[in-house]
Amino acid sequence: MSRSTIDIVNRNLAKRYAKEKRFRLFGLVSILAGLAALCFLMVTIVSTGWGAFTQSYIQLTLDLDPEVLSISDPQDDDQWSYANYTGVIKKSLRERFPDVTSRRDKKRLYRIVSPGAGYQVNQLMQDRSLLGQTVTVWLPADDDVDSVIKGHIDRSLPENERRVSDKKLSLIDELVNSGQLKRKFNNIFFTAGDSSEPEQAGIKGAMLGSFFTLIVALLLSFPIGVAAAIYLEEFAPKNAWTDFIEVNINNLAAVPSIVFGLLGLAVFLNWFGLPRSVPLVGGIVLTLMTLPTIIISSRVALKSVPPSIREAALGLGASKMQTIFDHVLPLALPGMLTGGIIGMAQALGETAPLLMIGMVAFIVDIPGSFTDPATVLPVQIFLWSDSPERAFVERTSGAIMVLLMFLILMNSIAVLLRKRFERRW
Amino acid sequence: MTTMTVDSNTSPQSSQEATQPVADISSNGLDSSRDYRQTVGKIEVANTKMSMRDVNVSYGDKQAVFGVDLDIAKNEVIAMIGPSGCGKSTFLRCMNRMNDTIEGCVVSGSLKLDDQDIYDPKLDVVPLRARVGMVFQKPNPFPKSIYDNVAYGPQIHGLANSKVELDEIVENSLRKAGLWNEAKDRLDQPGTGLSGGQQQRLCIARTIAVSPEVILMDEPCSALDPIATARIEELIDELSANFTIAIVTHSMQQAARVSHRTAYFHLGYLVEIGDTDDIFTNPKHRLTEDYITGRFG
């Protein structure tokens, strides 16, 4: 009897192991496919976006002549704000290239420096004692020049098919040879708001917009979500009503986010009359969107606390409130935080609902509060990806990289929290 | 014949008992002349601490306990034995209203603690549970330090006016639970880091820290090895000097060793009650005899 049993077992053994092997292989193949797709995405983004972190700068010697700046009275603040900062740059360029004489060529010459470079000179001259002195500064080059330096423009093409003329190329080469045109770390990308000039455009405005929006979303959604979860899980009677609520919460988690945007537009902007394009409203809309996620994950976290802990506390004569807040909640909190962070990461990457409430506007100023018009990182990416300039393409990818960094950071914190507070009982 | 099973969905706490179906007693060829629905033995005691009359418990439409009458004397140890699903744990959990936490659990009848009705709708369960403490089947220390585990009860009830007093309560409770020598150097370490037997003694210390009058023990040794079990049994013996103890157990040896009186439950009915010595040497009811001699159960 035992003889035949072992024979049957042995006969089937190979089949059983083969099955296991096949399953492992499938798993491995799907993981590899996923990794390959991820690698492809990262390589594309990083290879295009890498350039955004450097920018070509031109070294110029500026003569901060009050006459050129048209500042006759240094005490007059108006004169300082309306001073001709670009004039100083133009003068310096003319002096650097004395053989450029024709009006047309001069115009071309001026275009090698960013049209917004006057702003940098303005910033520099916040120190008013510089008036009348001569300074050597690095000013951002125009995006076409930048593209030449980064090798995005094919010099072998005939001149009329190229964005940059031969004349301009020779100017660029001369500056490179004299060491006055260099690629440097792109400060502007991290310290400026949006701009129509790619070399002057940065993500600081969008980052702060995202920051303010997320703060609002976090402050609203986490307490409300956790409170709702505690009530539903611990206090609410289990009846048709709570079932109905549960179904609806699960449903809300799957509603397309644009619908929340429309709701925000209808309720918060049109009815409550809150201002357009501000992080406050963005945060409220994202709260609506992330609440279901937080409620669901918090309920799961509460459910996972073993009933023996509740019994122990109740058996000692703790009230329901004491049982929940002294014992259940501390054990459920890591799970709740993880859910909250994942919800926030979701909110950070959300675009659609914010389009509806006007956070898609072109905003140059860096927001300083919850009610300043602002945009957010993913919307900034959306805006830039629409721009035709080569320099915006790399800035788009650069901004994606920054966004991904934040997402990775947040998700890592979620994993760390879970690991750190994981308890066995 | 009624084959009583407790619905495991409605009572997760008693699932251990519910998973095993109860044998149909007619197949055991038992003495049918004496109905197990009538309790054999004297239920009244002198110096009554708790008094239960006609207690019926049902989970939804499944009845788990049928008309049980039982008195518990002050400072006695009463053991409740019986096969799985016989309702002994359910009955025990009525005595400090832990069954309130189970949805669909309905208790009727009269349960009194010192002449006070436990199921009086006006009665607050918080002070009741401070008077009737409970030790569970699986050691369930809070995932906090040993000190905090014991100090929690006195803290929520405000039994200590100062840190010194609280320290004293913690030390005394741990001493009474026989855990002081093992735990005094690691009071700040998590209670979950102790061994199973130590954890159960910690749970006992936690329970006696609020100085209850009655301690209910629901199979306190079923998850422990024989040495830890012996330690707990010794402890029960020592505690009986100050506390009234009701213990549910699957081990008849344990019931014989620790208890003064023993109650035998069968299919939700209290079949026999009497002095432990009598029950184990001279059972009056056929079912009791079969159970204690190991013929079924």
Side-chain angles (χ1 to χ4, degrees):
Chain A
M1 189 64 207
S2 67
R3 182 73 237 153
S4 70
T5 308
I6 203 72
D7 284 346
I8 296 170
V9 169
N10 281 337
R11 219 180 306 134
N12 290 329
L13 217 50
K15 227 171 160 184
R16 277 153 65 176
Y17 286 139
K19 218 175 192 176
E20 185 182 320
K21 252 192 187 149
R22 236 176 298 139
F23 184 77
R24 282 187 185 202
L25 194 71
F26 288 148
L28 205 65
V29 166
S30 48
I31 296 270
L32 285 179
L35 277 181
L38 184 69
C39 279
F40 178 73
L41 178 80
M42 292 309 260
V43 167
T44 338
I45 289 173
V46 171
S47 60
T48 13
W50 198 243
F53 299 111
T54 58
Q55 160 71 28
S56 306
Y57 285 84
I58 295 173
Q59 189 190 41
L60 287 178
T61 309
L62 300 180
D63 178 11
L64 303 173
D65 187 351
E67 209 167 299
V68 181
L69 286 165
S70 62
I71 295 176
S72 51
D73 177 13
Q75 307 303 323
D76 188 354
D77 284 348
D78 272 2
Q79 285 194 11
W80 280 94
S81 31
Y82 296 111
N84 183 11
Y85 296 110
T86 357
V88 183
I89 300 169
K90 286 180 181 170
K91 183 170 171 244
S92 162
L93 280 168
R94 281 198 305 274
E95 281 165 5
R96 174 66 184 78
F97 296 99
D99 41 340
V100 176
T101 46
S102 79
R103 199 180 148 74
R104 215 173 129 222
D105 285 351
K106 274 187 190 164
K107 265 200 164 159
R108 275 198 191 135
L109 174 63
Y110 298 153
R111 285 289 298 170
I112 65 168
V113 174
S114 165
Y119 173 71
Q120 268 86 11
V121 179
N122 182 355
Q123 290 299 102
L124 181 74
M125 293 201 64
Q126 295 296 318
D127 176 10
R128 293 190 176 179
S129 64
L130 287 175
L131 189 65
Q133 300 197 15
T134 307
V135 290
T136 306
V137 288
W138 289 91
L139 293 175
D142 188 62
D143 59 315
D144 283 344
V145 177
D146 193 43
S147 295
V148 174
I149 298 293
K150 286 172 181 166
H152 297 320
I153 284 173
D154 188 357
R155 286 172 182 247
S156 62
L157 286 171
E159 189 177 5
N160 54 1
E161 287 177 25
R162 218 190 300 129
R163 257 188 85 85
V164 184
S165 64
D166 285 346
K167 184 77 194 164
K168 213 168 177 179
L169 279 179
S170 69
L171 289 175
I172 292 170
D173 289 341
E174 196 185 327
L175 281 170
V176 171
N177 288 335
S178 63
Q180 285 173 292
L181 178 52
K182 270 189 187 152
R183 272 175 88 162
K184 292 175 150 205
F185 179 71
N186 191 357
N187 274 329
I188 297 168
F189 187 65
F190 293 102
T191 52
D194 199 6
S195 168
S196 51
E197 299 296 333
E199 68 275 5
Q200 298 285 355
I203 54 166
K204 190 182 177 187
M207 279 204 295
L208 278 177
S210 275
F211 174 73
F212 286 128
T213 311
L214 279 191
I215 290 286
V216 173
L218 181 71
L219 289 183
L220 287 177
S221 63
F222 196 68
I224 296 176
V226 168
I230 291 176
Y231 178 76
L232 284 174
E233 200 55 43
E234 306 284 346
F235 290 101
K238 304 274 176 284
N239 57 25
W241 266 108
T242 41
D243 285 348
F244 177 73
I245 289 171
E246 184 168 356
V247 168
N248 276 284
I249 288 172
N250 293 345
N251 236 350
L252 279 181
V255 164
S257 53
I258 190 110
V259 176
F260 290 108
L262 286 168
L263 180 81
L265 175 65
V267 176
F268 301 123
L269 298 191
N270 295 346
W271 191 19
F272 290 171
L274 289 170
R276 241 158 241 281
S277 317
V278 300
L280 178 67
V281 180
I284 298 174
V285 169
L286 291 180
T287 299
L288 294 178
M289 202 200 72
T290 46
L291 257 182
T293 316
I294 293 182
I295 294 178
I296 292 170
S297 63
S298 298
R299 289 188 70 175
V300 170
L302 285 171
K303 266 198 195 105
S304 72
V305 175
S308 64
I309 297 290
R310 288 165 222 264
E311 289 208 321
L314 289 173
L316 273 176
S319 67
K320 197 155 190 178
M321 196 77 177
Q322 284 169 329
T323 305
I324 291 165
F325 282 87
D326 293 350
H327 300 289
V328 179
L329 207 54
L331 292 174
L333 210 55
M336 290 175 165
L337 286 178
T338 311
I341 292 173
I342 287 170
M344 285 299 111
Q346 221 177 35
L348 176 61
E350 198 52 69
T351 326
L354 302 178
L355 303 184
M356 304 313 303
I357 54 154
M359 290 190 87
V360 71
F362 173 75
I363 291 150
V364 179
D365 291 332
I366 290 167
S369 78
F370 295 103
T371 48
D372 284 349
T375 190
V376 292
L377 269 177
V379 177
Q380 186 71 74
I381 291 166
F382 170 71
L383 284 171
W384 282 350
S385 68
D386 250 8
S387 307
E389 287 94 339
R390 182 64 180 77
F392 269 130
V393 174
E394 62 182 28
R395 275 169 179 75
T396 307
S397 292
I400 293 174
M401 282 162 71
V402 173
L403 181 65
L404 283 177
M405 284 302 297
F406 279 115
L407 289 178
I408 289 173
L409 192 74
M410 289 172 80
N411 286 321
S412 314
I413 292 174
V415 170
L416 267 179
L417 270 180
R418 200 165 49 216
K419 284 250 163 72
R420 171 82 178 71
F421 292 105
E422 209 167 44
R423 285 186 210 252
R424 275 169 234 104
W425 45 71
Chain B
M1 279 292 111
T2 29
T3 306
M4 224 289 308
T5 46
V6 179
D7 190 352
S8 58
N9 291 328
T10 52
S11 71
Q13 279 73 19
S14 55
S15 59
Q16 214 111 6
E17 294 180 25
T19 44
Q20 285 171 279
V22 180
D24 191 336
I25 50 159
S26 64
S27 62
N28 290 315
L30 294 162
D31 179 9
S32 55
S33 62
R34 196 180 248 160
D35 196 341
Y36 64 89
R37 291 180 177 85
Q38 289 296 315
T39 304
V40 178
K42 192 163 155 277
I43 54 171
E44 293 89 2
V45 285
N47 203 1
T48 315
K49 182 72 194 169
M50 294 187 84
S51 170
M52 274 68 69
R53 286 293 177 277
D54 194 26
V55 175
N56 290 282
V57 187
S58 44
Y59 299 112
D61 47 6
K62 296 262 201 303
Q63 192 162 355
V65 174
F66 298 84
V68 170
D69 301 329
L70 185 64
D71 280 357
I72 298 174
K74 204 164 179 235
N75 289 10
E76 81 164 337
V77 179
I78 181 164
M80 301 178 191
I81 59 169
S84 291
C86 68
K88 54 195 189 303
S89 281
T90 300
F91 181 69
L92 187 80
R93 292 168 62 91
C94 289
M95 291 196 252
N96 69 344
R97 285 183 59 175
M98 279 307 280
N99 278 338
D100 286 12
T101 59
I102 299 167
E103 210 134 321
C105 178
V106 180
V107 181
S108 69
S110 130
L111 290 97
K112 285 189 176 143
L113 172 67
D114 287 340
D115 291 326
Q116 183 182 20
D117 186 5
I118 294 174
Y119 276 83
D120 186 340
K122 275 178 267 174
L123 180 111
D124 190 351
V125 292
V126 167
L128 169 72
R129 288 181 189 149
R131 290 176 69 191
V132 185
M134 187 150 193
V135 176
F136 298 86
Q137 185 173 359
K138 215 180 115 219
N140 56 355
F142 300 127
K144 301 186 174 195
S145 73
I146 293 173
Y147 183 92
D148 288 342
N149 260 286
V150 183
Y152 182 70
Q155 273 169 343
I156 55 170
H157 295 301
L159 301 184
N161 294 320
S162 63
K163 178 86 175 80
V164 183
E165 240 178 291
L166 190 63
D167 287 349
E168 219 168 275
I169 294 177
V170 171
E171 184 179 337
N172 280 335
S173 308
L174 285 170
R175 270 189 203 286
K176 277 187 212 155
L179 195 62
W180 178 250
N181 286 334
E182 290 149 80
K184 65 180 174 204
D185 298 324
R186 46 196 287 205
L187 287 176
D188 54 343
Q189 283 173 34
T192 41
L194 296 168
S195 75
Q198 288 173 326
Q199 283 189 19
Q200 194 62 298
R201 274 182 279 149
L202 177 62
C203 292
I204 293 174
R206 182 176 67 186
T207 306
I208 57 185
V210 285
S211 322
E213 295 154 38
V214 182
I215 302 176
L216 309 175
M217 297 188 174
D218 189 357
E219 297 177 41
C221 302
S222 64
L224 304 181
D225 67 51
I227 295 167
T229 301
R231 190 74 196 75
I232 302 270
E233 285 177 7
E234 258 172 60
L235 182 58
I236 291 171
D237 202 42
E238 289 161 20
L239 291 176
S240 67
N242 302 309
F243 304 95
T244 305
I245 297 172
I247 177 171
V248 162
T249 175
H250 268 295
S251 154
M252 280 167 287
Q253 290 84 348
Q254 185 169 70
R257 282 191 298 260
V258 301
S259 69
H260 307 135
R261 283 198 309 152
T262 297
Y264 173 68
F265 283 73
H266 185 88
L267 294 182
Y269 293 89
L270 176 58
V271 175
E272 187 166 351
I273 168 80
D275 287 343
T276 300
D277 293 342
D278 282 348
I279 292 266
F280 282 96
T281 53
N282 183 24
K284 309 261 180 335
H285 199 287
R286 189 61 192 279
L287 278 168
T288 317
E289 190 185 337
D290 285 352
Y291 184 72
I292 61 173
T293 52
R295 241 175 284 167
F296 98 103

